[in-house]
């Protein structure tokens, strides 16, 4: 599934909501510019059904507009493991985290230089982000 961005007029809702229901590889600059990140949520979906117990790693960059798995050093690494009911990770960020470019990618190793994206597990993870 494709990345979806809801950007409403600031007089209605001054936030961008970004979601992806079948995240497998990488997304560079998901909000198309700078902002402040207030919320992230990840859920293992197909990962739970097909690979229970296997851990993948969501890597996040707050400054790189072009991500290359294995080359771009992430600012944050979040492990997500499949389970029979799925795994959900929710990160509310009340004070927000400023970014110049928000990029995410999914790989099978926590090492910074891991270049093996989880493409074989297409649709393994879904995510949502709220920024301003």
């Amino acid at each position: 599934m494709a990345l979806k961005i809801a950007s409403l007029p600031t007089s209605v809702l001054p936030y961008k909501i970004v979601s992806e229901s079948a995240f497998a590889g990488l997304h560079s600059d998901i909000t198309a510019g700078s902002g402040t990140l207030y919320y992230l949520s990840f859920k293992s979906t197909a990962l739970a059904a097909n690979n229970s117990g296997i851990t993948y790693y969501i890597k996040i960059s707050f400054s790189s507009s072009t991500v290359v798995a294995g080359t771009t050093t992430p600012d944050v690494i979040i492990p997500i493991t499949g389970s029979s009911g799925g795994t959900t990770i929710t990160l509310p960020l009340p004070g927000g985290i400023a970014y110049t470019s928000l990029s995410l990618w999914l790989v099978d190793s926590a090492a910074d230089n891991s270049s093996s994206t989880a493409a074989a597990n297409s649709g393994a993870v879904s995510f949502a982000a709220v920024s301003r």
Side-chain angles (χ1 to χ4, degrees), residues 47-70:
L47 181 59
N50 301 328
N51 296 306
S52 185
I54 294 178
T55 300
Y56 285 93
Y57 300 87
I58 301 151
K59 298 188 177 185
I60 302 170
S61 171
F62 298 119
S63 60
S64 182
S65 62
T66 305
V67 170
V68 177

Side-chain angles (χ1 to χ4, degrees), residues 25-106:
L26 57 88
H27 286 299
S28 295
D29 196 13
I30 65 170
T31 61
S34 62
T36 303
L37 181 65
Y38 291 99
Y39 175 85
L40 274 172
S41 178
F42 300 96
K43 181 171 181 170
S44 62
T45 52
L47 181 59
N50 301 328
N51 296 306
S52 185
I54 294 178
T55 300
Y56 285 93
Y57 300 87
I58 301 151
K59 298 188 177 185
I60 302 170
S61 171
F62 298 119
S63 60
S64 182
S65 62
T66 305
V67 170
V68 177
T71 302
T72 305
T73 301
D75 294 310
V76 176
I77 301 172
I78 301 169
I80 188 163
T81 302
S83 66
S84 59
T87 300
T88 299
I89 297 170
T90 303
L91 302 169
L93 306 163
I97 296 175
Y99 62 86
T100 55
S101 179
L102 183 60
S103 300
L104 299 99
W105 62 106
L106 185 68

